[in-house]
Amino acid sequence: VDTCAAEFEALSPYYYSTYDKYDEVVVSDKKKVIVIGSGPIRIGQGIEFDYCSVHSILALKKLGYETIIINNNPETVSTDFNISDKLYFEPLTEEDVLNIIDKEKPEGVILQFGGQTSIKLAKFLNEKNVNILGTSYDNIDRAEDRERFEELLDNLDINRPKGKAVFSTEDGLLEGEKLGYPLLVRPSYVLGGMGMEITHNHQELEKYLKNAFKRDKKNPVLIDKYLVGKEIEIDAICDGDHILIPGIMEHLERAGVHSGDSITIFPSNDINDHIKNKIIEYTEKIGNGLNAKGMINIQFIESNNELYVIEVNPRSSRTVPYISKVSNVPVIDIATRVVMGQKLKDLEYGVGLYKRPELISVKVPVFSTSKLPDVEVSLGPEMRSTGEVLGVGRTLEEALYKGFLGANFNMKCENKKVLATVKDEDKGEFLEIAKILDKLGYEFISTSKTYELLKTNNLRVQKVDKLNESDELLTLINRDEIHMVINTPTKGNDSKRDGFKIRRKAIESNVNIFTCIDTFRAYAEVLEFNKDNLRVFNL
């Protein structure tokens, strides 16, 4: 592709393959490295991996390598022709990638900065004797393969939620009875929590398994005991001997909400020293146990003051740009140096857990569901967000306030009315939050059960009919008479249910909508902190 429209010689062209005889690629005799990108952007895998590819290329250039990117997304910076020395605009398939490797003959290929798309090429490239730089294919497979991963955790004496990979509906139902409900079920080899659900009984599990095996007969379904607790996440750099953790990220929403859709707090706000030390210990064990070279991402759950590992990704993750920015640790630069053979102890950021910053940062997800009719709004294990914003402050409330503003939440309270329909399990916590809002002058509008709860506790509440009785509830949202809606669903993804219709109407009417009690609490506490309803923070 001539980037100068033939007006003068293009010094930074990029290439695509054809089956013609003429070849415009000139292969140099310089030492070179290929970085595999992440392919087309979609929910679950976006520009975060593009960031990783670009910063890896910049690091490799500083190390004196000729840099080559293979990627096929015209919307991303890594596919700008002036980022790498050469860009091959090719689909990330086995044949296309191998053809380029055979032609360029690089010292090696880096897969770990292109998300799940590039990692999936590891087995094929290993079979073709291509040098995979960083973590080896065998160790990538030990993290990705369910049985090998569980064996690794057993050998390292690391806690994990009990679970199993099953290959049939019958085996799945038997395993469900052994583990006990609720269960987290998901297909294997997917990204962004696609197809992941929490099942609460035999019927829900049976329905899920039948549909899953109907879609994919080759791969297993993963069944885990669902633990209620705090989700914690780290991105770490490993060199085979030591680890560097730029910081520990805490998810605001409890486990069960996909990490990409959670509000993420850094540095962690509510993790005790016992759990912090366990995180460091487990990360060291896993990094060394996998002989990882470069990035790993680990997701934990803290439940009843015990720490469990729920997932290890032998690659960079979507939180890397965020943690790089807020910790001031150039994560990808360091990881690239380690991949190319340098040791953490010889670099300036040290090993172990990096120092805690003074400011608090929150990552708040942004959604596009208002533009997608009939799409579920509620948060769950399947990722829905299409972007994120960053709020930074001296206190958690200040950071959250800025994050909510950036994510287009309405922080002005001219109309102090809350439409509340809450499932039974959330009613106790909801009542505590309702009392905060009541003191701030809010009134509630609720259907029968939630109405009785609020009325019994002497909070201002107006009763409204369910949708099968009248449309008054939707009309109130439509008329802009509601400031926010709190609706915690008993069953998502069912367009016939009242909750689905309420959530859709709220999102389409640009009304603040909360489907998770933890997010609702954070919003209420920010309003309480900012009682004067002024932008009191230094924005």
Side-chain angles (χ1 to χ4, degrees):
V1 177
D2 186 347
T3 56
C4 298
E7 292 188 19
F8 47 88
E9 186 182 358
L11 298 177
S12 303
Y14 58 98
Y15 302 96
Y16 64 94
S17 63
T18 73
Y19 288 97
D20 210 338
K21 291 178 183 177
Y22 183 67
D23 188 350
E24 294 182 297
V25 173
V26 178
V27 177
S28 77
D29 56 2
K30 296 177 184 175
K31 59 179 184 176
K32 56 180 82 79
V33 172
I34 291 179
V35 175
I36 309 286
S38 59
I41 284 177
R42 61 270 197 206
I43 290 175
Q45 183 159 302
I47 58 168
E48 299 91 344
F49 297 107
D50 184 57
Y51 168 99
C52 296
S53 299
V54 169
H55 281 260
S56 180
I57 288 292
L58 298 177
L60 288 165
K61 282 186 171 181
K62 283 191 280 185
L63 293 172
Y65 288 91
E66 180 182 333
T67 56
I68 300 167
I69 279 184
I70 307 174
N71 204 21
N72 62 333
N73 190 343
E75 298 299 318
T76 57
V77 181
S78 63
T79 44
D80 287 350
F81 58 84
N82 57 355
I83 292 294
S84 55
D85 295 305
K86 278 183 184 170
L87 165 67
Y88 285 89
F89 195 77
E90 291 294 282
L92 301 177
T93 63
E94 294 173 354
E95 178 186 1
D96 291 283
V97 169
L98 187 62
N99 284 340
I100 296 164
I101 293 169
D102 286 344
K103 184 162 192 67
E104 291 286 352
K105 296 181 172 52
E107 289 193 8
V109 175
I110 298 180
L111 301 177
Q112 60 184 259
F113 301 131
Q116 202 67 21
T117 301
S118 53
I119 283 291
K120 281 184 176 178
L121 292 167
K123 182 180 180 183
F124 171 78
L125 295 180
N126 182 67
E127 288 170 353
K128 298 298 179 184
N129 297 314
V130 173
N131 182 25
I132 297 171
L133 294 167
T135 309
S136 68
Y137 163 68
D138 183 59
N139 284 308
I140 290 171
D141 188 61
R142 287 171 73 204
E144 293 280 307
D145 181 274
R146 178 57 178 255
E147 289 184 4
R148 296 190 73 194
F149 177 60
E150 291 192 350
E151 183 184 348
L152 171 74
L153 295 187
D154 283 341
N155 291 339
L156 297 174
D157 193 26
I158 290 175
N159 290 336
R160 69 178 189 280
K162 290 180 180 176
K164 194 175 179 184
V166 298
F167 288 85
S168 70
T169 301
E170 295 72 24
D171 287 348
L173 292 172
L174 284 171
E175 192 60 31
E177 294 303 318
K178 284 182 197 170
L179 293 170
Y181 296 92
L183 298 167
L184 186 67
V185 286
R186 57 200 162 112
S188 51
Y189 304 101
V190 297
L191 188 72
M194 190 184 300
M196 195 182 290
E197 281 186 25
I198 296 168
T199 57
H200 298 88
N201 53 52
H202 180 96
Q203 289 76 19
E204 288 181 11
L205 178 60
E206 184 175 28
K207 182 180 177 184
Y208 179 92
L209 291 169
K210 283 180 177 175
N211 289 333
F213 287 121
K214 190 175 178 182
R215 286 192 302 269
D216 182 357
K217 294 180 174 64
K218 292 181 182 176
N219 289 311
V221 168
L222 310 177
I223 300 180
D224 290 301
K225 177 69 179 170
Y226 172 61
L227 294 175
V228 178
K230 183 191 305 297
E231 193 161 343
I232 302 163
E233 186 168 4
I234 61 104
D235 291 303
I237 306 158
C238 312
D239 66 7
D241 297 314
H242 298 95
I243 60 146
L244 170 63
I245 304 173
I248 297 172
M249 296 169 278
E250 175 186 339
H251 293 187
L252 179 80
E253 292 83 1
R254 271 163 283 193
V257 174
H258 191 277
S259 59
D261 292 349
S262 295
I263 293 175
T264 304
I265 302 164
F266 172 79
S268 53
N269 181 57
D270 190 26
I271 299 174
N272 62 40
D273 288 342
H274 166 69
I275 294 297
K276 202 171 287 184
N277 291 333
K278 277 280 183 191
I279 290 168
I280 298 167
E281 178 195 335
Y282 282 5
T283 305
E284 286 175 342
K285 282 183 172 182
I286 290 168
N288 294 335
L290 288 173
N291 195 26
K293 305 282 176 63
M295 293 292 314
I296 58 169
N297 167 264
I298 308 179
Q299 293 171 29
F300 306 91
I301 287 179
E302 178 200 343
S303 182
N304 298 321
N305 206 33
E306 284 293 334
L307 189 68
Y308 301 84
V309 169
I310 53 173
E311 190 171 15
V312 174
N313 295 304
R315 56 171 172 78
S316 62
S317 77
R318 67 177 65 80
T319 50
V320 165
Y322 164 68
I323 196 66
S324 300
K325 188 176 186 70
V326 297
S327 69
N328 287 320
V329 176
V331 174
I332 297 300
D333 181 82
I334 297 170
T336 302
R337 289 174 178 275
V338 167
V339 162
M340 300 311 296
Q342 295 186 22
K343 288 292 185 179
L344 286 169
K345 282 207 164 181
D346 299 328
L347 303 175
E348 62 183 287
Y349 292 89
V351 297
L353 180 62
Y354 193 64
K355 64 185 179 184
R356 183 184 175 97
E358 291 181 13
L359 294 175
I360 293 173
S361 307
V362 295
K363 176 178 73 69
V364 180
V366 176
F367 300 85
S368 302
T369 39
S370 60
K371 300 176 178 67
L372 302 167
D374 299 326
V375 169
E376 177 58 86
V377 172
S378 65
L379 300 182
E382 187 168 12
M383 186 172 169
R384 304 186 191 283
S385 64
T386 51
E388 59 199 33
V389 298
L390 182 64
V392 181
R394 289 170 295 279
T395 66
L396 177 58
E397 290 84 2
E398 180 185 351
L400 280 167
Y401 179 81
K402 292 175 180 177
F404 281 131
L405 274 179
N408 292 321
F409 280 81
N410 179 8
M411 304 303 290
K412 296 178 182 177
C413 315
E414 294 96 346
N415 189 348
K416 294 194 169 186
K417 287 189 177 176
V418 182
L419 174 61
T421 54
V422 182
K423 64 184 178 184
D424 291 343
E425 303 95 278
D426 290 334
K427 282 189 166 57
E429 288 185 76
F430 165 70
L431 183 59
E432 296 171 19
I433 306 164
K435 287 175 180 176
I436 295 172
L437 293 173
D438 181 69
K439 287 177 185 173
L440 296 175
Y442 279 84
E443 297 178 36
F444 293 87
I445 298 168
S446 300
T447 52
S448 53
K449 282 188 178 180
T450 310
Y451 168 81
E452 291 297 337
L453 173 75
L454 295 169
K455 191 72 176 170
T456 304
N457 285 274
N458 300 315
L459 300 183
R460 288 163 292 183
V461 60
Q462 169 192 335
K463 191 175 183 180
V464 67
D465 291 333
K466 290 187 175 181
L467 291 183
N468 61 353
E469 296 165 351
S470 86
D471 285 338
E472 181 188 2
L473 199 148
L474 298 181
T475 305
L476 287 168
I477 301 173
N478 224 18
R479 285 182 190 158
D480 206 21
E481 293 183 27
I482 304 289
H483 173 61
M484 63 178 116
V485 173
I486 168 69
N487 171 262
T488 57
T490 50
K491 177 71 178 167
N493 282 318
D494 187 346
S495 59
K496 298 183 182 68
R497 297 179 72 92
D498 283 10
F500 184 95
K501 294 172 185 174
I502 292 166
R503 296 190 291 276
R504 282 306 314 172
K505 178 58 73 174
I507 202 81
E508 288 162 11
S509 304
N510 206 26
V511 172
N512 292 340
I513 169 76
F514 300 94
T515 64
C516 179
I517 206 78
D518 300 312
T519 325
F520 183 55
R521 181 188 293 278
Y523 182 79
E525 288 175 350
V526 167
L527 291 180
E528 183 184 33
F529 189 79
N530 190 19
K531 285 176 187 170
D532 298 330
N533 198 29
L534 300 170
R535 291 192 177 188
V536 296
F537 303 124
N538 182 24
L539 298 179

